[in-house]
């Protein structure tokens, strides 16, 4: 015997809805009667198992409810769920899933995440995904929760999808690799790299074996694994991954495809981190040329290449080349995204750092304050991009003699970075060095030296990672790159 799931009944009357929702047109009695009549017939057919016959009637209930209440009303969510349940029972899972998803979204927005009706809808949707035939859809719900950073809800769904897919397809099927990859991305978002790495590696191995070493999906696995190592600050392991991604995309998509520019930009960022500017420059120029050709000169996607090239010239000390690139990136982002978009904040930050280096401090402060305000509003107070804006604003105050104000920003930026990246990440070392300089300026020499020594230990571990796999030339380039920073910091501390 088939167990029937709980279904809500639409009970409509004129007064409650005309009073509670002033924006909704008043319902005539004819509309109310029509919806109730159709719903009663849907109920009757459902209870006797005539699901196919009930579907067109349920579709009419949904259509009338949307017209009467608007597309985001809880009554529409009820009608959506009704129709989704019917599709589930006749085996049309692809039609059922988006209806149930939409019903959940409407109820969450209208009633709140913990409302009983929302909880009931969520539990029903999870139960829907347990059916083996709809295991592929389970990823969609997990992806929804991951996009909201609701990792506690997403993780068991991914795990369930993995178990169902492994059982149905076998452990080495490409569909298994897809679920493994998504679960690994979840752990990466949680900064749980120890759990993410083996999942990414298993997904890569499955795809290489089942699809061949040059398949685009293999490139995606390599890209994700490279990003993981890059995020951890392990440049030595990230580089070969990015190199393979570039080779595959050049081979499968052609040398001028936007994906090739993406791979080039990742290598540029990596070489900038390693201080290998000679390798970075031609890649950055090529990435920009590809993006301009593919998307046009004013497309916001080209700002990544513009930014990387500006940072490269800035690092090389060629400010005359860097400034117009940074200005162009800001103009494109403001036009395309609007003045308060996070990408605008990044462009503001880069331009401010450029003016700071040029000594034009009057231009710097308003740009950095605006960047900080945008990032805090868009990303929240504890995001790494907020830390970047705080760090640069603190440097400005250090330079202008306001060390006490700068210290508050340095310390907040350091806390954010350690929380987001982990206390051993190379980026944390830079924030430690900046706070060390600030403390030296305030004659807190013991604290300053302790912070500097802690940062040195982090960078020494980074050097060990790089020295295990890179060439002698790359090792020398990296040492020269970071030595300049050491000398600046040591000189500042030693002279105060």
């Amino acid at each position: 015997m088939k167990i029937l799931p709980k279904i809500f009944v639409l009970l409509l009357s004129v007064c409650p809805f005309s009073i509670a929702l002033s924006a909704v047109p008043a319902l005539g009695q004819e509309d109310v009667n029509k919806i109730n009549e159709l719903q009663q017939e849907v109920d009757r057919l459902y209870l006797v198992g005539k699901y196919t016959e009930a579907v067109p009637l349920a579709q009419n209930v949904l259509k009338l409810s949307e017209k009467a209440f608007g597309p985001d009303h809880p009554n529409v969510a009820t009608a959506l769920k009704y129709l989704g349940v019917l599709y589930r029972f006749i085996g049309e899972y692809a039609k059922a899933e988006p209806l149930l998803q939409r019903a959940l979204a409407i109820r969450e927005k209208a009633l709140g995440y913990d409302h009983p009706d929302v909880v009931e809808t969520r539990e029903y949707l999870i139960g829907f995904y347990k059916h083996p035939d709809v295991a592929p859809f389970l990823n969609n719900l997990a992806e929804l929760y991951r996009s909201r950073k609701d990792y506690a809800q997403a993780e068991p769904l991914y795990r369930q999808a993995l178990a169902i897919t492994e059982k149905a397809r076998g452990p080495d099927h490409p569909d298994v690799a897809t679920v493994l990859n998504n679960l690994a991305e979840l752990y990466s978002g949680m900064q749980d790299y120890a759990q993410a790495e083996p999942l990414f590696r298993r997904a890569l191995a499955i795809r290489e074996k089942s699809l061949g070493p040059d398949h685009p999906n293999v490139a995606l696995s390599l890209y994700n694994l490279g990003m993981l190592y890059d995020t951890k600050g392990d440049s030595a392991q990230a580089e070969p991954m990015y190199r393979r991604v570039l080779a595959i995309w050049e081979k499968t998509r052609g040398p001028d495809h936007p994906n090739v520019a993406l791979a080039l930009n990742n290598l540029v960022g990596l070489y900038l981190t390693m201080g290998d500017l000679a390798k970075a420059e031609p890649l950055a120029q090529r990435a920009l040329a590809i993006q301009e050709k593919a998307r046009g000169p004013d497309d916001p996607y080209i700002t990544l290449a513009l930014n990387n090239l500006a940072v490269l010239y800035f690092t090389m000390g060629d400010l005359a080349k860097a400034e117009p690139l940074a200005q162009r990136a800001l103009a494109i982002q403001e036009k395309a995204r609007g003045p308060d978009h996070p990408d605008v904040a990044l462009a503001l930050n880069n331009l401010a750092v450029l003016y700071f280096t040029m000594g034009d401090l009057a231009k710097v402060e308003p740009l950095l304050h605006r960047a900080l305000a945008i990032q805090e509003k868009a990303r929240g107070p504890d995001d790494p991009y907020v830390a970047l804006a705080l760090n640069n604003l603190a440097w400005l105050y250090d330079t202008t003699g306001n060390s006490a104000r700068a210290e508050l920003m340095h310390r907040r930026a350091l806390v954010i970075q350690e929380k987001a990246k982990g206390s051993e990440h190379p980026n944390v070392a830079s924030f430690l060095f900046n706070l060390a300089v600030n403390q030296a300026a305030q004659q807190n020499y013991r604290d300053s030296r302790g912070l500097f020594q802690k940062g040195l230990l982090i960078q020494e571990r980074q050097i060990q990672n790089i020295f295990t796999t890179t060439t002698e030339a790359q090792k020398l380039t990296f040492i020269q790159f970071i030595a300049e920073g050491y000398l600046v910091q040591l000189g500042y501390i030693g002279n105060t």
Side-chain angles (χ1 to χ4, degrees):
M1 186 176 97
K2 189 175 291 184
I3 299 175
L4 301 180
K6 178 182 176 184
I7 293 186
F8 290 100
V9 178
L10 283 171
L11 299 174
L12 303 179
S13 61
V14 176
C15 290
F17 292 105
S18 61
I19 293 171
L21 296 171
S22 58
V24 177
L27 297 179
Q29 191 60 45
E30 184 178 342
D31 298 316
V32 176
N33 292 341
K34 182 64 174 176
I35 292 174
N36 280 331
E37 287 172 8
L38 286 169
Q39 189 59 58
Q40 288 170 8
E41 183 62 13
V42 170
D43 292 342
R44 187 188 69 78
L45 292 170
Y46 175 84
L47 290 172
V48 297
K50 295 184 177 181
Y51 309 122
T52 302
E53 293 179 35
V55 165
L57 301 180
Q59 289 172 332
N60 279 338
V61 171
L62 175 58
K63 184 178 179 180
L64 290 170
S65 297
E66 287 178 319
K67 181 180 178 181
F69 302 108
D72 299 323
H73 192 275
N75 281 351
V76 173
T78 304
L80 285 162
K81 188 188 171 191
Y82 251 121
L83 187 55
V85 168
L86 291 170
Y87 278 132
R88 177 193 176 188
F89 272 86
I90 63 177
E92 294 199 32
Y93 304 111
K95 290 183 178 179
E97 193 242 359
L99 297 171
L100 296 171
Q101 287 276 18
R102 186 182 160 203
L104 177 61
I106 291 172
R107 282 181 167 170
E108 283 184 345
K109 182 178 180 181
L111 304 174
Y113 190 83
D114 296 322
H115 189 279
D117 287 353
V118 176
V119 173
E120 190 276 339
T121 306
R122 190 183 305 121
E123 289 176 351
Y124 182 81
L125 191 53
I126 291 171
F128 163 80
Y129 284 123
K130 289 181 179 179
H131 193 288
D133 290 346
V134 295
F137 298 129
L138 192 59
N139 265 325
N140 295 345
L141 183 59
E143 287 287 281
L144 175 67
Y145 287 126
R146 181 166 71 90
S147 69
R148 298 175 181 175
K149 296 187 178 181
D150 190 348
Y151 301 130
Q153 289 279 355
E155 182 181 5
L157 297 174
Y158 280 131
R159 289 285 182 189
Q160 183 184 337
L162 179 60
I164 293 172
T165 309
E166 284 181 319
K167 184 177 180 180
R169 306 289 192 187
D172 298 324
H173 193 277
D175 288 350
V176 173
T178 299
V179 184
L180 287 165
N181 178 80
N182 292 343
L183 181 58
E185 287 188 359
L186 172 77
Y187 288 130
S188 290
M190 298 166 65
Q191 285 90 48
D192 190 347
Y193 305 121
Q195 290 211 68
E197 183 179 353
L199 297 172
F200 275 137
R201 285 203 168 275
R202 185 182 163 201
L204 173 61
I206 291 172
R207 285 172 168 170
E208 285 180 318
K209 182 179 178 181
S210 60
L211 304 174
D214 297 328
H215 193 278
N217 284 357
V218 172
L220 290 176
S221 284
L222 289 164
Y223 182 88
N224 288 335
L225 201 50
M227 285 287 288
L228 180 139
Y229 290 129
D230 202 350
T231 303
K232 289 172 60 179
D234 192 345
S235 304
Q237 292 213 64
E239 184 186 8
M241 302 291 172
Y242 286 157
R243 281 285 176 191
R244 270 193 71 191
V245 171
L246 177 60
I248 292 172
W249 279 342
E250 284 180 321
K251 181 178 179 180
T252 59
R253 301 185 185 277
D256 297 326
H257 193 276
N259 278 17
V260 171
L262 179 64
L264 289 165
N265 276 318
N266 281 359
L267 279 168
V268 170
L270 194 68
Y271 289 136
L272 285 171
T273 301
M274 298 170 68
D276 198 340
L277 306 185
K279 279 190 175 180
E281 184 175 10
L283 300 181
Q285 291 171 336
R286 184 183 165 203
L288 178 58
I290 292 172
Q291 292 282 34
E292 286 181 320
K293 181 180 179 182
R295 302 182 183 276
D298 298 322
D299 191 281
Y301 284 100
I302 76 167
T303 57
L304 174 61
L306 285 168
N307 175 72
N308 283 348
L309 197 53
V311 171
L312 173 69
Y313 288 135
F314 170 83
T315 308
M316 295 169 67
D318 194 342
L319 304 184
K321 285 185 177 180
E323 183 180 6
L325 294 169
Q327 289 173 332
R328 184 181 164 199
L330 174 59
I332 291 172
Q333 289 289 6
E334 285 185 314
K335 182 179 179 181
R337 311 284 195 194
D340 297 324
H341 194 277
D343 290 346
V344 171
L346 292 178
L348 288 165
N349 175 82
N350 291 340
L351 190 57
V353 172
L354 185 65
Y355 288 140
F356 181 91
T357 306
M358 295 167 69
D360 194 348
L361 302 185
K363 290 182 178 179
V364 175
E365 187 171 5
L367 294 175
L368 289 178
H369 272 294
R370 186 182 161 201
L372 176 60
I374 292 171
Q375 296 288 25
E376 286 184 315
K377 182 179 179 181
R379 301 179 187 273
D382 298 324
D383 189 89
Y385 286 107
V386 172
L388 175 64
L390 286 165
N391 175 77
N392 291 342
L393 197 52
W395 259 114
L396 175 66
Y397 291 132
D398 277 325
T399 304
T400 54
N402 196 344
S403 298
R405 187 175 183 184
E407 181 181 353
L408 297 175
M409 294 183 173
H410 280 305
R411 291 194 181 279
R412 184 182 161 201
L414 177 60
V415 169
I416 293 171
Q417 277 292 341
E418 287 181 323
K419 182 179 178 181
K421 304 285 188 180
S423 59
E424 303 299 319
H425 194 277
N427 285 4
V428 172
S430 299
F431 284 78
L432 287 165
F433 292 151
N434 292 343
L435 182 57
V437 170
N438 172 270
Q439 291 300 287
Q442 298 183 74
Q443 300 183 1
N444 297 327
Y445 303 124
R446 179 176 295 180
D447 289 346
S448 177
R449 291 183 185 278
L451 291 163
F452 188 65
Q453 288 168 351
K454 186 178 177 181
L456 282 174
L457 288 174
I458 293 172
Q459 285 205 331
E460 284 172 3
R461 282 189 282 272
Q462 182 188 19
I463 293 170
Q464 287 177 342
N465 286 335
I466 289 176
F467 272 34
T468 56
T469 57
T470 56
T471 65
E472 290 300 318
Q474 287 176 315
K475 293 172 187 175
L476 179 60
T477 298
F478 180 74
I479 289 296
Q480 290 172 337
F481 179 67
I482 64 170
E484 295 178 6
Y486 285 165
L487 290 172
V488 169
Q489 307 285 358
L490 284 168
Y492 191 100
I493 294 170
N495 290 329
T496 53

